[in-house]
Amino acid sequence: MILLLSSLAAQDLPPIGNYPPTDYQAGNQNWMISQDQQSSICVANNEGLLIFNGADWDFYPSPNQSIMRSVRSIGDRIYSGCYMEFGYWQKDLRGVYQYQSLSQQLGDEIITDEQFWNIAELDHFILFQSLSRVYVYDTLQQTFSYLDSPKGVTKMIQLEQEVWLQYPEQGLFRVVDGNAQLVSDDTRISNVRLANIFSWGAGHLIVTQSEGFYYVEAGQLRPWVGVDTEEYLKGSTIFCGRQLTNGDLALGTVSQGLMVLDTSGRLKFQIDQTQGLNSNNILNLFEDREGNLWLGLFNGINCINLQTPFKSFYDNRGVLGTVYAAAVFQGQLYLGTNQGLFSKPMNSELDFSIVEEVPGQVWSLTIIGDLLFCGHDVGTSLIKDGQAELISQEAGTWKIIPVPGREDLLIQGHYQGFSVLQKTAGRWQFSHAIDNYDAFGRFFEITDELKIYTSHVFDGLFEVQLDDDLQAAVTVKQLDYLPADAFPGLAKVGPNIYYTTEAGVFALAPGQSRFEKDQRLSQLAMEYGFFSGHMNVDRFNQLWLFYQDKLAHIRPEESGELSIQTYPVETRQFQLMRGYENVTALDAAHYLIGATVGYTVIRTDDFATWQQQYPLYINGLSVHRLGESEIRLPLQAEEALHYQQNSLRFTFNVPTYDAFQAVVYQYRLVGAMSKWSDWSEASAASFEKLRFGEYRFEVRARIGSQMSEVVTYSFNIDRPWYWSNLAIATYCLLALITGFAVHSLYRRYYHNQQQKLIEENRKKLELERLKSEQTITQLRNAQLQRDIESKSKELAASTMSLIKKNEQLIEIREMLEEVVKGKRSSSKRELTPTKAAATGPYRTGVQKVIKAINANLTNEESWNLFKEAFDNADQGFLHKVQELHPQLSPSELKLCAYLRLNISSKEIASLLNISVRSVEIKRYRLRKKLGLVKGENLVNYILKL
């Protein structure tokens, strides 16, 4: 629903609920409206029947796909008429309307191309009117009769407990005892189209579509002219009319929207498409039980809340803008907006006019004595007789308050701190700016001690001590024990100063030095949701606070206590500028609230009657499965649901249609959840995959401060087949059989286990014997291993001994070779023979010794001894190497054996009586014959064989 607050010129009008076709998802045109037993709105739409319960729209297509022209709720049935078809709709056990045709009982008696434009009730008869005749259905006998006229029926009108008919060229008739009795055959009404007829005094008021009004009494007809009706009805075509509960006349026109007249015929207000209607062409008017006026339009549906305590001025032309301040002064209503200062006479329907001398945004309007001060974007002006006089050019005046004890001084807060206005020779003028403080001066209050308390938008509250001459700030202290907030408020009510943030309301009483938290006022934000800390004090010294779900009206009493009155309305409905909320007292019962597109006026005296106890209905229960459409279930009796019907959806509603009454719901499912859900505007609750068992669904609603009764629905989800009594008995029988079988199996099992144990013992004895033999074998192998290790040690020892021997022989050989060459050893103590002694027989003897040493170093017998010892220690290695690499020479096999023992190249050189370089060459050639790739370690390869 789209909420529009409408206005004509400067009229304050009731709110309009706007329901375009995109909301109800059906045709544009809506021809007739009614209300059923549960207060749901029933609409005859171009495409079928619309049902609106205040939360959801339901649509039922026309039974023959034609335009539905008429609808009327009577008892538990909704009668409807369309092209060549009429009948009634009735709810089945699931809460779904089913259609039953009545016209089909008539067969060929229906006249070709008949459309049924109206339905009326008279005792136990239901009358269906086409332009040809009236079909009268007896609900007791379930029979039909007719009311015919030679030239058809122009209009049928339900007039309280009577039904009136207009026959073309015959006049006006009343239906009595099933017959049409003449009321008036005056040609002034017999040949014109009527809009409606109303009871009026001792007679009846007849409203024609384009020929004015007539009054008929005792068969006498005379024109009726209300106050100024000729002026505002001139050129208008009235298509429909409705007499409201308070006696006013509502007239729906073809092109000029809605007109509402009082009993004297004076126009109270007019609303057309520019003020919020979906269309200027009104096809039907209907007043529901709560006094809301419904409009069936050529394009959509509107609901006008006539009984609400709110009326609004909607600036649809964008002239005013956002209202920041208002004041009633010298019989004028002044509005300060973001587009200037505007005024109009109080209680008039004239347009607002702009005060041209006040440019830019207006922040405040303050009445002090007999003067109106206007604080605006470029300074401060005095307003008198609709004229403005600029008295201060301090940019952006937010607020102006008198200095305590000084009638000639005022302090004003502006964009850059504070300044003083002084009254000199009877004229107010700018005096001076207050030094030493240049922060934002929007919210501030002053005490008798000349202390200014001012709140900054983000930095919290400051205490500014002024000097006695108001020339400068002596001290500036931030009250850091108080919270800072983005939307703070500061106001003085009675003797106390109040500072408001989201964290609570803090009060400073006279004589106190600290602000203390006011628990009572702070509790309001917790209960109703913080919206803004901005505080408004009206001219009656009453405080107004805005919360999310309430509007608080606070009055100081003589005792010093505060009287708190809350009004159940959501703040968002006012279309406020957050942080700039403002309330102005027009009189003791009417208060103006500024909005972003105009303003709203509330009548506080009407709140008591506005709050009603509305019923709450559970209107639908459906079960759904994944991938399937919902299946509606009956609601009239407690249901036993199949165990697969365990995903449920409940829908519920409160049939209220006031735009300012928000409905919130709370529910719980006893058996699945113990706590109530959070309050929500959602009018449905879903539960998935419930277990079998008993449940009770409970739901309640809150409309403003009114709480509905708890509505319940109990149901039971059956056990699944595998938890039925038969299944449980079967499970028990199966358990007994299973127990017996298990017992038998265990007996057999234990017998088998005994046999297995005997066999296992036999096998264990055999195993012990084998283990003993294995132990003996292991001992033998261990002895063999020790022998091998001993031989390996012997091999290692003999190898090392051979290496040592060779090293000593090589060393001796080198010494002898030096003697032969006649050199003196530099590393030995002994002296070699002289050069003379190194010749002759001595030299020959030395050379023989060297030859013997060389023969010993290459002694094949030493290698054979080594080979024998090596074979004993590492049996089969040399044989294995020869099998894998038959191309190896004996010297290369020697090298493999030495490498197997992980002997260094130097030691191998000693054993082979060659140089280390030669050993490296041999290793290289061996790698090639073994086919080792680059990077593969030769020793590792030989050790792995």
Side-chain angles (χ1 to χ4, degrees), residues 651-783:
T651 57
F652 34 85
N653 75 287
V654 172
T656 178
Y657 308 101
D658 194 297
F660 279 90
Q661 283 189 333
V663 182
V664 290
Y665 302 94
Q666 196 177 46
Y667 62 85
R668 67 180 176 182
L669 184 62
V670 179
M673 53 189 293
S674 58
K675 295 182 179 180
W676 289 91
S677 67
D678 294 333
W679 289 105
S680 170
E681 293 183 357
S683 58
S686 296
F687 304 94
E688 303 291 332
K689 297 181 180 179
L690 297 173
R691 292 175 54 84
F692 63 84
E694 295 182 353
Y695 296 93
R696 185 177 69 255
F697 177 71
E698 298 180 349
V699 61
R700 60 189 179 188
R702 190 181 71 205
I703 309 98
S705 58
Q706 297 291 330
M707 185 80 74
S708 74
E709 295 182 354
V710 176
V711 180
T712 66
Y713 178 82
S714 299
F715 62 97
N716 179 64
I717 297 180
D718 287 340
R719 295 172 179 268
W721 62 267
Y722 47 82
W723 280 116
S724 64
N725 292 335
L726 178 60
I728 293 173
T730 303
Y731 299 150
C732 292
L733 180 60
L734 289 174
L736 291 174
I737 295 172
T738 303
F740 178 76
V742 170
H743 177 68
S744 300
L745 291 173
Y746 268 112
R747 289 186 61 187
R748 184 179 300 174
Y749 170 76
Y750 285 122
H751 175 73
N752 293 336
Q753 289 295 104
Q754 187 177 12
Q755 297 299 318
K756 288 182 179 180
L757 184 60
I758 294 171
E759 179 66 21
E760 286 178 358
N761 288 334
R762 187 187 65 79
K763 290 182 178 180
K764 284 182 179 178
L765 291 175
E766 181 67 20
L767 184 61
E768 290 295 329
R769 185 182 65 80
L770 294 174
K771 283 184 178 179
S772 298
E773 293 179 354
Q774 186 178 12
T775 302
I776 293 171
T777 303
Q778 288 176 348
L779 292 174
R780 290 175 179 172
N781 291 338
Q783 182 61 41

Side-chain angles (χ1 to χ4, degrees), residues 13-51:
L13 298 174
I16 299 176
N18 191 331
Y19 304 96
T22 52
D23 272 12
Y24 54 74
Q25 296 293 304
N28 289 0
Q29 294 174 316
N30 297 280
W31 293 95
M32 195 170 178
I33 302 176
S34 186
Q35 190 173 26
D36 69 9
Q37 287 181 319
Q38 293 188 343
S39 297
S40 294
I41 299 301
C42 313
V43 183
N45 180 266
N46 257 19
E47 298 179 6
L49 176 65
L50 291 172
I51 307 291

